[in-house]
Amino acid sequence: MKKIIIAMCLTSLTTAGYGEQSDVAKFDPNMIVKNAIVDDSGVKWIDGQYLPLEGKAFSDVDFFYDRLPKNVTTNVNPGVRNIKHHSAGLQFRFKTDSGKLWIKWTPRNRELAMDHMPSTGVSGIDIYAKGDDGVWRYVKTGRITNPDGGVCELGWKPGTPCLINLPLYNGIKTFTLGIEANATVEALEPRTNGINRPVVFYGTSITQGGCCSRPGLSFVNIVGRQLDVPVVNLGFSGSGKMELEMSEHLTNIDAACYVLDCLWNMDNPTVEKNYEPFIRNLRSKCPNVPIVMAEQCDVFSPESNYKDKVMRNLYEKLLAEGWKDLVYLPKTKMYLDSEGTVDGCHPNDRGMMSLAVAFGEAVKIALDL
Amino acid sequence: MKKIIIAMCLTSLTTAGYGEQSDVAKFDPNMIVKNAIVDDSGVKWIDGQYLPLEGKAFSDVDFFYDRLPKNVTTNVNPGVRNIKHHSAGLQFRFKTDSGKLWIKWTPRNRELAMDHMPSTGVSGIDIYAKGDDGVWRYVKTGRITNPDGGVCELGWKPGTPCLINLPLYNGIKTFTLGIEANATVEALEPRTNGINRPVVFYGTSITQGGCCSRPGLSFVNIVGRQLDVPVVNLGFSGSGKMELEMSEHLTNIDAACYVLDCLWNMDNPTVEKNYEPFIRNLRSKCPNVPIVMAEQCDVFSPESNYKDKVMRNLYEKLLAEGWKDLVYLPKTKMYLDSEGTVDGCHPNDRGMMSLAVAFGEAVKIALDL
């Protein structure tokens, strides 16, 4: 009976291929012209829904900045259904000839911070500029102390590619970009490395970005910048449990690669029960998409734990069955030393950087970069 | 007239040599026996004032965990007089044969966090253990969400040296360590490298520890662990202005080395006016103590700014006068890339680590390590 219900749910899910339906693809400069409002001080305000947005994989959502579609069912744990409203991994990417930028955003939740993660990371934004050498460099943080919203103003070198990372542990109610009245916004060129479908990370609080100091320092966002690949962040704090339905949502993204990073959120029996059906469904629906299987990061020990071993055995079994494009990411390189976390579990900015290197290497192998 | 007042203040300051009057030196195991209280559950509670404490340079204080004496006058800016109550750099260091530790602390201020620094760093504690290889390793963070106090409980390998870092941006009202009823606490052996007087860091919010995720990751504390030297943190957010009286307080510490790191908190005229009298007074009173002169860290540029150049000119002038044991620390190695801050100014945990390397190298030169 249970099986039948799951099957029904799976078939009722709508397809939302990233390449086809993403908001990046839908970006239309004319929409900006139509919807922009110039205020008395000569600032032209553009709502975020008309800006080129990456990291959003689904269009059929409850709220515009959600990370999963509205049809996520109760076969997925309630944490996911709540945390899908957080904007982790979403990022505006554009060029503008404006010499100044104004940004206003309002968060969904009034609780702006966690005790081990500041509001800059939970509810803030940060802005990067791409240099002539092709490297994205940090420019400014949009700090937020008022739950009614944050504002950020900065000078801008006209024509420089701009990247704005959205909050990791809060949702976005509204986002508005201000540019000079005569300026325009355009989408960035497709990536020259040919990777224009996203690397999809599915995982835990750590994947979601806990506990870095600002959004650009989540390891998922670092990998995106360093490898110059689009990323989709499906990290759900405490809730990455690999239910079969979640694999179906992943298959609905036209992905370059899947990274499975859920072990922290599953106990031993759940790994034994969920991992194999999950990965088999993913591969059967998306046979050509490489998959990275990540061990559970551990700042205290490089030794594999029971769950890692279950996953390793599964990996060996799948290889023996002839699976290709399966990358195993051991935990050994995820942390450099004992200083990579804020609390023994969640990476701080130092840990995020080493995780980004480890995950980045695995993704490079998966994508032949 | 102003000069006379300053002179009067300076002569009225009491001497509080670290080597003689520090609380480390005063540690007396008998005091623990006398003052410990065993509760009904068999935990022996010891008040922090009877534990071996490092990083506290003055005894004649308003509150036990203060970083400057009560006689700081109005010739020092009010920021210092307020922030001296923050416990940055204070650390308990001891050995115990207890198999478990319980820690309770109450912060002075009810505001536990800043928007760009979580409560774990502002008001929390963290615990390190020294391995058989002599390396201090992170063990646990004492998180705090209730302004009435935090609690932390952990298993302990009996006999392992323990280090507990106190909050960076809050003060301590009370601190209590719980050990097993039959266990004892003893001070650690003097350091084998012979450096048992402290390296005294005088500076800004960054020196104080803004904005790392937990106390052990302030660059001052990292330098202390990595070089195995005692440290005194006299970083005062927004308030490191090198008033002449502050130099006098520094001379009252029996220091191994002084690190001057105030440039962020001074405008150009203040650097021109204050730096030279400050450093001359320091050297005249403590002629044999090496001094490190640090440039202003800058995540966006390795170029010296005007204030750096004023300081550099002074450094050259003092060398030409025959000064020895003066170490110049350029900003070039302080950050590895653009990712070292939370807000463009204050280092995150990644920046703290690179600052620790840069400052550590300068201190090693100063101390002939």
Side-chain angles (χ1 to χ4, degrees):
Chain A
M1 182 59 188
K2 208 171 172 190
K3 261 193 180 170
I4 294 169
I5 292 172
I6 291 174
M8 284 176 59
C9 293
L10 294 184
T11 52
S12 72
L13 293 171
T14 61
T15 299
Y18 184 94
E20 290 70 48
Q21 302 195 23
S22 79
D23 289 81
V24 181
K26 284 193 333 193
F27 172 69
D28 175 358
N30 293 324
M31 292 296 282
I32 289 185
V33 178
K34 277 188 210 161
N35 291 284
I37 296 168
V38 179
D39 70 15
D40 292 343
S41 59
V43 178
K44 181 155 72 181
W45 293 100
I46 305 160
D47 190 279
Q49 63 186 305
Y50 305 116
L51 292 170
L53 179 64
E54 249 186 35
K56 181 181 167 184
F58 300 94
S59 303
D60 187 26
V61 288
D62 295 318
F63 304 109
F64 183 77
Y65 296 96
D66 281 5
R67 293 180 296 150
L68 282 177
K70 59 167 79 149
N71 66 357
V72 175
T73 78
T74 52
N75 291 315
V76 172
N77 71 83
V80 168
R81 304 199 310 272
N82 177 29
I83 301 168
K84 71 176 182 177
H85 305 312
H86 293 179
S87 52
L90 270 64
Q91 47 191 260
F92 293 109
R93 294 162 55 93
F94 56 86
K95 271 202 283 197
T96 176
D97 51 349
S98 183
K100 203 163 172 187
L101 304 180
W102 295 262
I103 300 164
K104 293 183 187 174
W105 74 105
T106 51
R108 295 209 75 76
N109 305 318
R110 299 186 68 79
E111 199 68 57
L112 298 181
M114 297 191 285
D115 71 293
H116 55 352
M117 185 168 172
S119 77
T120 40
V122 169
S123 309
I125 61 168
D126 57 13
I127 300 114
Y128 284 72
K130 197 171 200 171
D132 295 335
D133 55 1
V135 175
W136 286 105
R137 288 191 183 81
Y138 166 81
V139 175
K140 188 163 184 175
T141 301
R143 295 164 65 170
I144 177 165
T145 53
N146 183 340
D148 292 331
V151 294
C152 181
E153 206 178 304
L154 63 159
W156 198 253
K157 190 179 157 197
T160 311
C162 179
L163 187 170
I164 304 175
N165 294 294
L166 297 189
L168 296 170
Y169 269 76
N170 207 326
I172 290 277
K173 247 191 229 169
T174 63
F175 180 99
T176 330
L177 173 73
I179 55 175
E180 289 163 341
N182 296 325
T184 58
V185 165
E186 55 184 284
L188 301 184
E189 298 292 313
R191 287 161 169 90
T192 51
N193 61 10
I195 310 293
N196 286 296
R197 290 177 300 145
V199 177
V200 178
F201 292 79
Y202 171 47
T204 66
S205 56
I206 297 173
T207 325
Q208 188 178 341
C211 289
C212 59
S213 68
R214 51 180 174 80
L217 290 174
S218 94
F219 82 82
V220 172
N221 282 337
I222 299 172
V223 168
R225 288 194 305 278
Q226 290 195 340
L227 304 192
D228 198 20
V229 296
V231 291
V232 166
N233 187 325
L234 297 181
F236 300 98
S237 182
S239 309
K241 295 185 186 297
M242 303 187 91
E243 299 96 339
L244 191 56
E245 181 184 315
M246 278 303 298
S247 74
E248 200 65 16
H249 293 297
L250 263 68
T251 65
N252 284 331
I253 304 171
D254 184 15
C257 169
Y258 296 114
V259 180
L260 307 181
D261 179 34
C262 290
L263 295 192
W264 265 109
N265 286 168
M266 297 194 286
D267 56 15
N268 296 348
T270 309
V271 175
E272 288 167 330
K273 178 169 162 280
N274 287 5
Y275 209 118
E276 185 164 350
F278 185 101
I279 199 169
R280 286 194 184 278
N281 187 50
L282 203 56
R283 179 50 62 97
S284 75
K285 302 277 172 60
C286 306
N288 301 317
V289 180
I291 302 174
V292 174
M293 303 166 79
E295 284 193 356
Q296 180 174 317
C297 62
D298 186 345
V299 79
F300 295 117
S301 166
E303 300 296 321
S304 296
N305 64 19
Y306 181 81
K307 295 184 283 183
D308 297 324
K309 287 174 188 160
V310 170
M311 187 179 79
R312 178 83 204 183
N313 289 340
L314 174 60
Y315 168 76
E316 306 283 2
K317 179 167 125 181
L318 297 173
L319 285 190
E321 290 179 18
W323 283 39
K324 306 286 181 210
D325 296 322
L326 202 56
V327 179
Y328 193 86
L329 173 54
K331 65 178 66 176
T332 42
K333 285 188 188 168
M334 292 186 188
Y335 287 114
L336 302 174
D337 55 31
S338 77
E339 301 293 27
T341 72
V342 58
D343 60 355
C345 169
H346 295 96
N348 54 25
D349 291 343
R350 176 168 165 77
M352 285 294 179
M353 203 58 71
S354 57
L355 283 171
V357 171
F359 278 83
E361 281 174 9
V363 170
K364 276 167 79 171
I365 294 169
L367 296 182
D368 265 335
L369 280 176
Chain B
M1 182 59 188
K2 208 172 172 189
K3 262 193 179 169
I4 294 169
I5 292 171
I6 291 175
M8 283 176 60
C9 294
L10 295 185
T11 52
S12 72
L13 294 171
T14 61
T15 300
Y18 184 93
E20 290 70 47
Q21 302 195 21
S22 79
D23 290 81
V24 181
K26 284 193 334 194
F27 172 69
D28 176 358
N30 293 324
M31 293 296 281
I32 289 185
V33 178
K34 277 188 210 161
N35 291 284
I37 296 168
V38 179
D39 70 15
D40 292 344
S41 60
V43 178
K44 180 155 72 181
W45 292 99
I46 305 160
D47 190 279
Q49 63 185 306
Y50 305 117
L51 291 171
L53 179 64
E54 249 186 35
K56 181 181 167 184
F58 300 93
S59 303
D60 187 26
V61 288
D62 295 318
F63 304 110
F64 183 77
Y65 296 97
D66 280 5
R67 294 180 295 150
L68 282 176
K70 60 168 79 148
N71 66 357
V72 175
T73 78
T74 51
N75 290 315
V76 173
N77 71 83
V80 168
R81 302 196 315 268
N82 177 29
I83 301 168
K84 71 176 182 177
H85 305 312
H86 293 180
S87 52
L90 270 64
Q91 47 191 261
F92 293 109
R93 294 162 56 92
F94 56 86
K95 270 201 284 197
T96 176
D97 51 349
S98 183
K100 204 162 171 188
L101 304 180
W102 295 262
I103 301 164
K104 293 183 187 174
W105 75 105
T106 51
R108 294 209 75 76
N109 305 318
R110 298 187 69 79
E111 199 68 58
L112 298 182
M114 297 191 286
D115 71 293
H116 55 352
M117 184 168 171
S119 77
T120 40
V122 169
S123 309
I125 61 169
D126 57 13
I127 299 114
Y128 284 73
K130 196 172 199 169
D132 295 336
D133 55 1
V135 175
W136 286 106
R137 287 191 183 82
Y138 166 82
V139 176
K140 187 162 184 175
T141 301
R143 295 164 65 170
I144 177 166
T145 54
N146 183 341
D148 291 331
V151 294
C152 181
E153 206 178 304
L154 63 159
W156 198 253
K157 189 179 158 199
T160 311
C162 178
L163 187 169
I164 303 175
N165 294 294
L166 297 189
L168 296 170
Y169 269 76
N170 207 326
I172 290 278
K173 247 192 229 167
T174 63
F175 181 99
T176 330
L177 173 73
I179 55 175
E180 290 163 340
N182 296 324
T184 58
V185 164
E186 55 183 285
L188 301 184
E189 298 292 312
R191 288 161 168 90
T192 51
N193 61 10
I195 310 292
N196 286 295
R197 290 177 300 145
V199 177
V200 178
F201 292 78
Y202 171 47
T204 66
S205 56
I206 297 173
T207 325
Q208 188 178 341
C211 289
C212 59
S213 68
R214 51 180 174 79
L217 290 174
S218 94
F219 81 83
V220 172
N221 283 338
I222 300 172
V223 168
R225 287 195 305 278
Q226 290 196 339
L227 303 191
D228 198 20
V229 296
V231 291
V232 165
N233 188 324
L234 297 180
F236 300 98
S237 182
S239 309
K241 295 186 185 297
M242 303 187 91
E243 299 96 338
L244 191 56
E245 181 184 314
M246 278 303 298
S247 74
E248 200 65 16
H249 292 298
L250 264 68
T251 65
N252 284 331
I253 305 171
D254 184 16
C257 169
Y258 296 113
V259 179
L260 307 181
D261 179 34
C262 290
L263 295 192
W264 265 109
N265 286 168
M266 297 194 286
D267 56 15
N268 295 348
T270 308
V271 175
E272 288 168 330
K273 178 169 163 280
N274 286 6
Y275 209 118
E276 185 164 350
F278 185 102
I279 199 169
R280 285 194 184 278
N281 187 50
L282 203 55
R283 179 51 62 96
S284 74
K285 302 277 172 59
C286 306
N288 300 317
V289 180
I291 302 174
V292 174
M293 303 166 79
E295 284 193 356
Q296 181 174 317
C297 62
D298 185 345
V299 79
F300 295 117
S301 166
E303 300 295 321
S304 296
N305 64 19
Y306 181 82
K307 296 184 283 182
D308 296 324
K309 287 174 188 160
V310 170
M311 187 179 78
R312 178 84 204 182
N313 288 341
L314 174 59
Y315 168 75
E316 306 282 2
K317 180 167 123 180
L318 297 173
L319 285 190
E321 289 179 19
W323 283 38
K324 306 287 181 210
D325 296 322
L326 202 56
V327 179
Y328 193 87
L329 173 55
K331 65 178 65 177
T332 42
K333 285 188 188 167
M334 292 186 188
Y335 287 114
L336 303 175
D337 55 31
S338 77
E339 301 293 27
T341 72
V342 57
D343 60 356
C345 169
H346 295 95
N348 54 26
D349 292 343
R350 176 167 165 78
M352 284 294 179
M353 203 58 71
S354 57
L355 283 171
V357 171
F359 278 83
E361 281 174 8
V363 170
K364 275 166 80 171
I365 294 169
L367 297 181
D368 265 335
L369 280 175

